[in-house]
Amino acid sequence: MLNRVRSAVAHLVSSGGAPPPRPKSPDLPNSTSAPPAAPPQGPRSPPARAGSGSAAPARTVEARASFSRPTFLQLSPGGLRRADDHAGRAVQSPPDTGRRLPWSTGYAEVINAGKSRHNEDQACCEVVYVEGRRSVSGAPREPSRGQGLCFYYWGLFDGHAGGRAAEMASRLLHRHIREQLKDLVEILQDPSPPPLCLPSTPGAPGSSDSSHLVGPQSCWSSQKEVTHESLVVGAIENAFQFMDEQMARERRGHQVEGGCCALVVVYLLGKVAIIVRNGEIIPMSREFTPETERQRLQMLGFLKPELLGGEFTHLEFPRRVQPKELGQRMLYRDQNMTGWAYKKIELEDLRFPLVCGEGKKARMMATIGVTRGLGDHNLRVCSSTLPIKPFLSSFPEVRVYDLTQYEHCPDDVLVLGTDGLWDVTSDCEVAATVDRVLSAYEPNDPSRYTALAQALVLGARGTPRDRGWRLPNNKLGSGDDISVFVIPLGGPGSYS
Amino acid sequence: MLNRVRSAVAHLVSSGGAPPPRPKSPDLPNSTSAPPAAPPQGPRSPPARAGSGSAAPARTVEARASFSRPTFLQLSPGGLRRADDHAGRAVQSPPDTGRRLPWSTGYAEVINAGKSRHNEDQACCEVVYVEGRRSVSGAPREPSRGQGLCFYYWGLFDGHAGGRAAEMASRLLHRHIREQLKDLVEILQDPSPPPLCLPSTPGAPGSSDSSHLVGPQSCWSSQKEVTHESLVVGAIENAFQFMDEQMARERRGHQVEGGCCALVVVYLLGKVAIIVRNGEIIPMSREFTPETERQRLQMLGFLKPELLGGEFTHLEFPRRVQPKELGQRMLYRDQNMTGWAYKKIELEDLRFPLVCGEGKKARMMATIGVTRGLGDHNLRVCSSTLPIKPFLSSFPEVRVYDLTQYEHCPDDVLVLGTDGLWDVTSDCEVAATVDRVLSAYEPNDPSRYTALAQALVLGARGTPRDRGWRLPNNKLGSGDDISVFVIPLGGPGSYS
């Protein structure tokens, strides 16, 4: 699997062509959404503040009745009905006449073939302005746009057991990222190493004398060097935690029953941080499944056996052990092993294994096929009160790709897709479609990326034939929701 | 670090030349050690049997007084004294006149410059015959050499806090591997998939009817396929555990105070399983240090805080937190994070961090710089009763390299070395020495690999000058024990 990912990265993010345009000012472009009016609830803040802070996004969700699609699709009531039609499965993209998405990003989506009532994918594409929480050097808190930071943000969210978790995450996760970056606005724009300590009270008045910074110069001789990049990674990592904690607290009000996987791209100061919280095979991501995360799950069950509730064993067997096999020696592996060995079957080995099955059928606690995600705070083992968390983790994997290190041409794109795309499309097929579609358009035609996103969605959906949606090779197309972003990495100068 | 490892692998294990000779019969060659007379103690067997089973190796260790060198060096009492001389630091290799090591393996070693009384490295090179424990198909237990298996084995052991653990491991680890392989003798020689279950009582009489095998054919439809290769990996993984458990049980009798890192190569059925238990940078291995294993250690401390005894915090800070910083916000990262973020300093953050320092100075629990090893069962945190285990793990990492997949030429070698080599020699420098030395010999001259091992040891030791052992560039050479194996991968047809 990892090899496929690598080859996809190599193919889709190849070099060549003109040098990439550098980001200009951090000013907020007026071509996309305005800066969010209200901050999300302060994560881990006192309850009083949390309640009021989160009111705005919560109301937005509630007002949208039973389902919604991304706002950038600008769907009319009639368009919303067509997007929700399982029979037609019309491909949706932002209108040609409206404002383009940042970077001329292409987007297309299609609803599932009846798997669930509504489309449980969600998408978000925003330019987010981060105003410093306060000057860490103690300067007055006057808002000054020139001192803020801007980041570009793309997110795909693949919901399960309902679309509410994906909807909530698509509306709020980038705000949590913004919240986490607020402390860093001044630090990231200062080429010197980050200060080791910040003053204790964010927002407290202070003098403008930067000697108030507890910087490296005042530290012991032996101290680890922390890069600006790792601060951004840490901010994104914590934003996922806070998003998940907010879902746990507010799941009743938002009617969040299920959960979602997330795949997020952040562009900040010349670098793309790619956050992987998903089960798909896509460029620069890897799958989080009961198979790929077996050892993490087994280790957790081994060290905290109470989380298994006497119902599961942390050991893996090639198949379910049967009572008549007691005393025989069967193949197994534990949390430390990559190989297999034989062990004598004892009574507790008859419990259901924490991890079982292979490929698409692999399951954790016999319940769920993904091992990282947001939400699912109500999820229990079937016919049991045993919670799936914390085996299901909300922690992301962050990878950084420095856009300024390569010269990208207009054909270099980053393809983000949900399961619906990758279940039926290989990396090579995606790459071939990229070549075919982009070469049919002028390099400076910004509509080529939307055409590419549509082609990828259509290629995964297929056409109705022989009582199903079928691909040209007569295999079944994806009956799942399908959502695709195509982000040009060296496109028509649209970084700023 | 990993990149250096990868480049080394690519360079030292390049392709070209004639196809490798395939291993012939599993007969035990008479050129090396005879099959071990007594089995090691049955791991996890009842105490009575354990005591008697391990008596033979234990006596051997005791009889050697205060120190020993590998038997294949064939040192006379005078030679042993010279090998133990810190002033001369004479390089030791097997005698030209004696039997060659298997595969014409080269070996060289030198004692430290005074760091410890004796050389705390140990080495082992053996051809090991594995007789099936019993026919898993229930056939009579008649010993039949043709039905056994042979493996080639090379091990380097880098001791710390005394040389006893390295000595014990060098004498016994391959016997534990043999013990673990006994169940697999018949299975590995049968091309069909391994049976899921074995009969309950090893060694119990049975009929020769192979239908007694509980094989895949009798299993449920959904069952994981387990390869022969993963059985060998599992056997090696368990052998390390049993070796460490034996050390724990018998450390008083063997006077084992310290511990050791281990680096082991096993050649079996055309594949080399490379087991990494070491802190060195070498081809196909990676370092296990408080830095590379930070997240494993932090996760263990987070899930089992009682193991930290109220003395340590599982959080990492860039340096020790000072009491006057209480209430400030300092950079930190937890077990889930790869990036850094700020947190408010609380009282428990003042505890010493589980992981601290950088590079060679990185320490776990302020005590030890390696995080995997055998032994150290008595090791406690300085001025404390807190044990270092289980943060210090005896679990190996096993990588498999299929020798038959490449055409190796006589210049393709696998270099194994202890810290003494890699502390002062880069992968590139090793590769240059490989080129220089091997090209000075005929490709079919088997002594070229010993010459290469000697050159590598000499190049790391240097010569006495300006009150120290110095390299040609006047930098300090290694004052540590230095041991090097050079294993030809496509050499003069000496696989069998």
Side-chain angles (χ1 to χ4, degrees), chain B residues 118-283:
Chain B
H118 299 295
N119 189 335
E120 294 183 351
D121 284 357
Q122 286 293 345
C124 179
C125 180
E126 295 273 348
V127 184
V128 182
Y129 177 74
V130 190
E131 187 185 321
R133 194 188 302 279
R134 64 181 294 280
S135 168
V136 291
S137 65
R141 207 191 168 186
E142 293 305 315
S144 164
R145 282 217 157 186
Q147 290 175 2
L149 276 179
C150 235
F151 68 87
Y152 293 81
Y153 172 89
W154 299 259
L156 285 183
F157 305 87
D158 190 339
H160 50 255
R164 294 295 193 158
E167 194 168 349
M168 189 172 175
S170 73
R171 292 180 187 282
L172 294 177
L173 179 57
H174 57 293
R175 299 191 178 195
H176 280 288
I177 294 175
R178 185 185 58 174
E179 193 70 19
Q180 294 302 309
L181 288 174
K182 279 184 176 174
D183 276 335
L184 309 179
V185 166
E186 191 174 313
I187 294 167
L188 292 177
Q189 292 176 96
D190 181 348
S192 56
L196 197 68
C197 285
L198 299 181
S200 52
T201 324
S207 95
S208 63
D209 181 354
S210 69
S211 68
H212 283 217
L213 279 173
V214 184
Q217 62 281 5
S218 66
C219 295
W220 294 0
S221 60
S222 166
Q223 144 179 347
K224 214 154 203 164
E225 194 173 316
V226 172
T227 63
H228 288 100
E229 180 177 308
S230 70
L231 286 182
V232 176
V233 171
I236 293 169
E237 289 172 331
N238 276 338
F240 273 79
Q241 299 311 294
F242 290 130
M243 180 73 247
D244 195 54
E245 287 172 15
Q246 186 184 1
M247 271 192 197
R249 281 192 311 269
E250 304 175 16
R251 59 187 188 272
R252 291 225 175 92
H254 288 255
Q255 297 173 282
V256 173
E257 282 295 327
C260 70
C261 292
L263 177 64
V264 169
V265 174
V266 173
Y267 174 84
L268 177 69
L269 298 172
K271 291 178 184 175
V272 173
I274 299 191
I275 301 89
V276 182
R277 307 256 353 269
N278 218 333
E280 288 94 36
I281 303 169
I282 54 160

Side-chain angles (χ1 to χ4, degrees), chain A residues 170-187:
Chain A
S170 74
R171 292 181 188 281
L172 295 177
L173 179 57
H174 56 293
R175 298 191 180 197
H176 280 288
I177 295 175
R178 184 185 58 172
E179 194 68 19
Q180 294 302 309
L181 288 174
K182 278 185 176 175
D183 276 336
L184 309 179
V185 167
E186 189 173 314
I187 294 167

Side-chain angles (χ1 to χ4, degrees), chain A residues 6-83:
Chain A
R6 281 183 185 146
S7 69
V9 173
H11 193 107
L12 299 178
V13 190
S14 60
S15 65
R22 296 295 297 268
K24 293 176 195 144
S25 85
D27 279 2
L28 187 73
N30 57 11
S31 63
T32 53
S33 66
Q41 101 172 70
R44 287 179 192 163
S45 56
R49 192 185 150 208
S52 61
S54 66
R59 271 198 306 271
T60 319
V61 174
E62 296 306 319
R64 291 216 155 241
S66 60
F67 82 105
S68 74
R69 300 311 309 147
T71 51
F72 59 71
L73 287 176
Q74 302 175 41
L75 292 174
S76 64
L80 199 58
R81 276 193 302 276
R82 279 190 297 280

Side-chain angles (χ1 to χ4, degrees), chain A residues 11-14 283 409-415 434 438 448-449 452 486-490:
Chain A
H11 193 107
L12 299 178
V13 190
S14 60
C409 71
D411 287 3
D412 292 336
V413 293
L414 185 57
V415 176
V434 169
L438 293 187
R448 65 208 298 256
Y449 304 112
L452 173 53
V486 175
I487 307 175
L489 296 179

Side-chain angles (χ1 to χ4, degrees), chain B residues 347-485:
Chain B
L347 210 53
E348 60 196 29
D349 299 325
L350 296 178
R351 294 174 186 160
F352 207 86
L354 175 60
V355 169
C356 69
E358 284 186 285
K360 281 277 155 197
K361 288 181 185 165
R363 289 289 178 274
M364 170 168 68
M365 304 178 107
T367 303
I368 186 169
V370 296
T371 53
R372 308 257 188 136
L374 300 167
D376 286 315
H377 294 280
N378 293 331
L379 189 60
R380 313 259 156 186
V381 172
C382 309
S383 328
S384 165
T385 58
L386 207 59
I388 300 291
K389 296 230 172 192
F391 292 99
L392 178 63
S393 159
S394 59
F395 213 82
E397 183 175 283
V398 182
R399 301 190 192 182
V400 177
Y401 178 81
D402 189 344
L403 275 178
T404 66
Q405 288 288 309
Y406 303 83
E407 295 191 353
H408 295 104
C409 71
D411 287 3
D412 292 336
V413 292
L414 185 58
V415 175
L416 311 183
T418 52
D419 272 344
L421 175 68
W422 301 104
D423 280 349
V424 298
T425 320
S426 72
D427 293 351
C428 288
E429 288 164 339
V430 167
T433 305
V434 169
D435 283 349
R436 179 172 56 77
V437 174
L438 293 186
S439 62
Y441 287 77
E442 291 295 319
N444 63 352
D445 182 348
S447 68
R448 64 207 298 258
Y449 305 112
T450 297
L452 174 52
Q454 291 169 335
L456 288 168
V457 168
L458 273 172
R461 183 200 70 176
T463 47
R465 183 157 37 90
D466 297 344
R467 293 183 303 280
W469 292 84
R470 291 189 183 272
L471 307 180
N473 61 12
N474 217 37
K475 285 186 181 163
L476 279 176
S478 171
D480 200 356
D481 306 310
I482 313 168
S483 305
V484 172
F485 269 128

Side-chain angles (χ1 to χ4, degrees), chain A residues 203-222:
Chain A
S207 92
S208 62
D209 181 354
S210 69
S211 69
H212 283 216
L213 279 172
V214 185
Q217 62 282 3
S218 66
C219 294
W220 295 359
S221 59
S222 166

